[in-house]
Amino acid sequence: RKHRNLIRRESVMQMQNNMNEMNDEMEITLNESYTFPVISKESFMRLADIAASAIKTLVPKFKEIKTDFNEGIMLIVANTSNVMTAKADLNGLYDKFCRVEELSANTQMSSEKRLEYQINKISSMIAGLLSKTLSGFQSMKDYNTSELDQYLDYENARERLIAVPVNMDDFDKTKFVCKEVAPGIGYTAKILISDNKTDSVTALVTNEMAKDYGVSLEELMSAALTNTMVMFPAVKENVTEKMGFRGYAINAGSYANGAIATFYPGVLKTVAEQLETEKMVVFLSNKLEALCIPVAGVDDTLVLGIMSTLLNSVKKYAPHTFFSNRIYSYDSSVDRLEPMVF
C-alpha cells in the first residue's frame, strides 16, 4: 500500500509539472451552480496519457503502458516471463467521474483555483485507477509468477483459458503456445487471472507450462477456443449498406480480440451461406473484427483498395490492434482459409 501511495503521489506531481502547457487548451465547463467542473473526454484522455508516462518512469519493470484514445482504455504490459498484461477502462472512469458532483470547497473559489482543483483531482483519480489496475502485478514479488501458481494445474487452468489472435510471423513460437489456422495467422492461449468492468489481468501460456499440464497442445488450444466461444459468441453483422458493397463483419461482441470469432468452427461457412457464395475474400487487418465479401463481382483493384484503407485506418487510429497485412480467401466447399495470390 505504501508503495502504491508513493507511485500515486509522485505520478500526480509529475503530471502537474507536465500540464502547464495544457491549461490553455483544456476544455473545461464551469456551470453557474458552482458544481464540479466538467472536462472534455479528449482532455481527460490526454491527462491519462501523461499519467501513463509518469507511472512507467516510476515503475521501470513495466515494459509498456499506453493509452488507446480510440477505445478509451489503457494497456499495461509487465516485463515478465509470462508477458502479463492489464487493461484499465478509462471510458468507465470518465463517465463516472465527469457526471456533475458537488464541489466540496468554498463556492467563492475563483475559476482559476477551481480549474487547478479539477486538474489535481483528475490526476489523482487516474493515478489511483492505474495503481488499482497494477495491483495484480504489485502483489507479485519482483513480478514473478506466484499469482499463477494455482493455474499450474491443468484442471484449474482449463476453464480460465482464452484464445487470442496472433500474427504468426511476429509471434515467439519457441516460448509460447500457439496454433496456426492459415499461413501467417493463428491464435495463442492466455490465462484470464482476473476480469471485471474496470480492469483485467491475463498471462500467456508458455510452452513449459503446457508441457507440465500433461495434455496435448491440440487439447489445450481447443479448450481455449471453446471457452472464448462461450464467453464471447460470434456476432455476424451485415455491412452492405454501410460499406456500399455486399459484405459481413465478424467479431466477438465486447471481446477486444473479436477477430478470433473468424476461427470459431462453422462461422465462416455460415457467413458464406448468408452471402450466398461459395468463396469469400476475408480481410483480417485488425484484431477487432474480420470483413468478408463475396469473390464474385469484385476485382483485384477493389480488393487491394479495401485492404489499403483498412490498414491505413489501423495504423492511424489503433496500431496495437494490427493483425495481418495479408488478404485471405475462404472456400466453403473445403472449409479452408488461405492467403490470396495476386
Side-chain angles (χ1 to χ4, degrees):
R1 183 179 296 176
K2 182 178 179 181
H3 180 57
R4 290 200 296 271
N5 288 338
L6 178 63
I7 289 177
R8 184 178 303 189
R9 285 198 302 272
E10 293 191 21
S11 61
V12 169
M13 289 175 61
Q14 287 199 25
M15 284 189 284
Q16 290 171 348
N17 291 335
N18 286 313
M19 280 191 292
N20 289 334
E21 61 188 53
M22 283 183 60
N23 286 352
D24 293 335
E25 302 174 26
M26 290 180 67
E27 299 172 30
I28 302 286
T29 301
L30 300 173
N31 60 26
E32 295 178 359
S33 60
Y34 295 100
T35 51
F36 206 91
V38 178
I39 186 174
S40 72
K41 182 169 285 192
E42 180 181 359
S43 296
F44 184 84
M45 294 298 175
R46 291 177 64 191
L47 282 172
D49 205 39
I50 293 173
S53 299
I55 289 181
K56 187 175 186 300
T57 301
L58 292 166
V59 190
K61 288 189 178 182
F62 287 101
K63 184 177 180 181
E64 190 172 19
I65 303 178
K66 58 187 178 183
T67 307
D68 182 336
F69 293 89
N70 192 43
E71 293 293 316
I73 59 175
M74 188 164 288
L75 302 173
I76 304 144
V77 182
N79 193 17
T80 67
S81 59
N82 294 86
V83 191
M84 297 190 69
T85 62
K87 178 182 69 177
D89 178 15
L90 295 177
N91 273 332
L93 181 64
Y94 176 82
D95 292 340
K96 178 181 178 182
F97 175 68
C98 289
R99 294 182 187 279
V100 175
E101 179 181 323
E102 292 299 324
L103 182 63
S104 58
N106 191 326
T107 55
Q108 300 305 311
M109 184 186 292
S110 67
S111 59
E112 290 79 10
K113 283 290 184 183
R114 277 185 284 158
L115 177 57
E116 181 182 352
Y117 180 87
Q118 171 75 339
I119 291 174
N120 291 344
K121 183 74 173 175
I122 292 174
S123 301
S124 179
M125 290 192 71
I126 291 174
L129 172 70
L130 292 179
S131 292
K132 174 181 177 296
T133 303
L134 301 182
S135 63
F137 300 147
Q138 298 288 354
S139 63
M140 303 177 195
K141 185 178 180 182
D142 294 327
Y143 309 107
N144 60 30
T145 57
S146 60
E147 188 75 9
L148 288 171
D149 285 351
Q150 61 181 309
Y151 301 118
L152 295 180
D153 178 76
Y154 183 65
E155 286 307 308
N156 292 333
R158 185 168 55 84
E159 293 184 356
R160 305 294 293 177
L161 293 171
I162 57 173
V164 178
V166 292
N167 184 304
M168 298 297 288
D169 297 330
D170 301 329
F171 190 69
D172 189 351
K173 297 180 279 291
T174 63
K175 192 172 182 180
F176 304 106
V177 299
C178 60
K179 178 177 180 178
E180 186 173 73
V181 175
I185 55 173
Y187 63 95
T188 186
K190 282 188 174 185
I191 295 175
L192 186 61
I193 297 173
S194 70
D195 185 37
N196 55 55
K197 291 183 178 180
T198 58
D199 53 66
S200 63
V201 178
T202 60
L204 281 166
V205 177
T206 65
N207 290 325
E208 230 175 86
M209 290 169 65
K211 185 178 179 181
D212 291 338
Y213 284 156
V215 298
S216 68
L217 180 62
E218 184 66 28
E219 181 180 340
L220 188 151
M221 301 307 290
S222 176
L225 191 64
T226 299
N227 289 346
T228 311
M229 287 171 58
V230 173
M231 289 189 283
F232 306 102
V235 176
K236 300 174 284 291
E237 178 190 1
N238 190 325
V239 293
T240 301
E241 289 188 16
K242 187 187 300 183
M243 303 297 294
F245 48 79
R246 292 178 66 214
Y248 266 79
I250 302 172
N251 60 61
S254 61
Y255 188 33
N257 295 290
I260 192 67
T262 313
F263 303 154
Y264 293 173
V267 168
L268 285 175
K269 198 173 188 68
T270 299
V271 170
E273 290 173 357
Q274 291 173 328
L275 287 172
E276 299 177 333
T277 182
E278 186 175 281
K279 296 182 179 180
M280 300 187 299
V281 181
V282 182
F283 302 93
L284 289 159
S285 60
N286 67 79
K287 294 179 182 178
L288 304 177
E289 66 178 7
L291 176 64
C292 304
I293 64 174
V295 168
V298 300
D299 55 25
D300 290 355
T301 302
L302 175 61
V303 170
L304 292 172
I306 293 173
M307 190 59 173
S308 177
T309 299
L310 293 173
L311 287 174
N312 286 336
S313 179
V314 169
K315 183 178 180 181
K316 182 176 181 180
Y317 298 109
H320 71 278
T321 68
F322 170 75
F323 188 13
S324 175
N325 57 9
R326 298 184 185 183
I327 303 171
Y328 291 84
S329 64
Y330 172 75
D331 187 339
S332 63
S333 65
V334 291
D335 192 23
R336 186 168 63 220
L337 191 65
E338 57 186 9
M340 291 185 70
V341 179
F342 294 90

